[in-house]
Amino acid sequence: MKKQTQHEILIKFIETENPKQLDDILYNFEKHLDELKYKYFLKETENPFIYFIEYPKPNELIKITNTENLKIEDIKEVTCTINNLNHISYTIIEKIRYKITPTDTFKINLHLDSYIPYENMINTQTEITNAIYNILYISESNNDPTWNINIHLIGELCAISINRSNKNRNKFSQYTYT
C-alpha cells in the first residue's frame, strides 16, 4: 500500500495589535480561498499568527495566496512533526537521505515561533546537527550550504522545510524538498 503524503503549508500572518484585527485578517484570507473554490483545511497552532493548511497542491495555493492584501508574513510548504528531537531528526533524514552526495553541506535555521519559553534551543540545534552528521556524513556549513533546513518550533508541533541551494545542481537535484 502506498503511503499517503500529507501536504501542509505553514502560513504566518503579520502580527496585529489586537485580536479583532487578526480575526479580520483570517476572515479575509478564508473568504479569498472560498471565492476561488479551494477545498482546504485550516489548522490552528499554539501561536495565534501561525496556521497550517492542508491542501493537495501546495505550490498552487502558495502562488495564489502570496499577495499583500492578505497580510501574510511568510508562507511555505512544510512537513509537520512532533516537537521532539528524535522526530525532527528522523523527518529531516528521511527527506534528504537519498538526495545527498558526499560533498553536500547543510545549515540548520531554528525559528522559535512559540509563546512558550524554550530554554534548550541551542542544545536542540546542536543535537540535530550531530544526528544529521552522524547518520548522513555530510558537514555543517554556514557559508553557502547545499541544504538549508528551516525548523519552526511552534509549541508541541514542529514544521520543517528543506531547500536545496542552486549550488552544484545536476539533472537529478532540480527540486526543492519539503
Side-chain angles (χ1 to χ4, degrees), residues 122-134:
I122 293 172
N123 290 343
T124 300
Q125 185 165 354
T126 303
E127 290 172 358
I128 294 170
T129 301
N130 290 338
I132 292 171
Y133 176 77
N134 290 334

Side-chain angles (χ1 to χ4, degrees), residues 88-101 104-108 128 131-133 135-139 146-149 160-164 175-178:
I88 295 169
S89 300
Y90 175 79
T91 302
I92 294 168
I93 290 165
E94 279 299 304
K95 289 289 184 183
I96 66 172
R97 94 175 326 148
Y98 298 111
K99 301 168 182 98
I100 61 170
T101 65
D104 284 357
T105 58
F106 71 96
K107 178 181 179 191
I108 293 179
I128 294 170
I132 292 171
Y133 176 77
I135 294 171
L136 300 178
Y137 302 109
I138 60 174
S139 301
T146 311
W147 299 93
N148 281 305
I149 302 168
I160 301 169
S161 69
I162 302 172
N163 299 315
R164 183 175 173 90
Y175 305 102
T176 300
Y177 304 98
T178 57

Side-chain angles (χ1 to χ4, degrees), residues 4-159:
Q4 283 282 45
T5 56
Q6 189 172 8
H7 300 283
E8 292 184 305
I9 301 166
L10 177 136
I11 184 160
K12 186 174 185 177
F13 293 101
I14 294 172
E15 293 199 20
T16 60
E17 295 177 14
N18 60 54
K20 171 77 170 102
Q21 290 174 333
L22 180 59
D23 286 344
D24 290 342
I25 290 172
L26 287 171
Y27 174 78
N28 289 332
F29 177 76
E30 288 187 278
K31 182 179 172 187
H32 178 71
L33 291 182
D34 291 341
E35 287 172 355
L36 296 171
K37 309 256 190 270
Y38 282 103
K39 303 243 186 279
Y40 63 93
F41 181 66
L42 189 66
K43 298 188 293 187
E44 294 181 350
T45 67
E46 293 177 22
N47 184 326
F49 302 103
I50 296 178
Y51 289 79
F52 292 118
I53 301 172
E54 287 181 15
Y55 187 73
K57 298 177 185 172
N59 290 332
E60 177 183 291
L61 189 65
I62 289 171
K63 287 177 189 172
I64 303 270
T65 58
N66 205 0
T67 62
E68 274 186 43
N69 60 343
L70 294 177
K71 301 189 185 208
I72 295 172
E73 182 178 319
D74 192 14
I75 184 167
K76 63 178 83 168
E77 186 177 356
V78 295
T79 301
C80 291
T81 187
I82 297 170
N83 190 352
N84 170 297
L85 180 63
N86 291 331
H87 287 277
I88 295 169
S89 300
Y90 175 79
T91 302
I92 294 168
I93 290 165
E94 279 299 304
K95 289 289 184 183
I96 66 172
R97 94 175 326 148
Y98 298 111
K99 301 168 182 98
I100 61 170
T101 65
T103 59
D104 284 357
T105 58
F106 71 96
K107 178 181 179 191
I108 293 179
N109 302 306
L110 209 52
H111 306 277
L112 184 59
D113 293 320
S114 176
Y115 286 110
I116 300 169
Y118 199 76
E119 299 167 2
N120 296 329
M121 192 161 162
I122 293 172
N123 290 343
T124 300
Q125 185 165 354
T126 303
E127 290 172 358
I128 294 170
T129 301
N130 290 338
I132 292 171
Y133 176 77
N134 290 334
I135 294 171
L136 300 178
Y137 302 109
I138 60 174
S139 301
E140 180 182 26
S141 172
N142 290 327
N143 186 18
D144 196 24
T146 311
W147 299 93
N148 281 305
I149 302 168
N150 293 293
I151 303 171
H152 297 267
L153 302 175
I154 311 167
E156 291 181 10
L157 286 178
C158 170

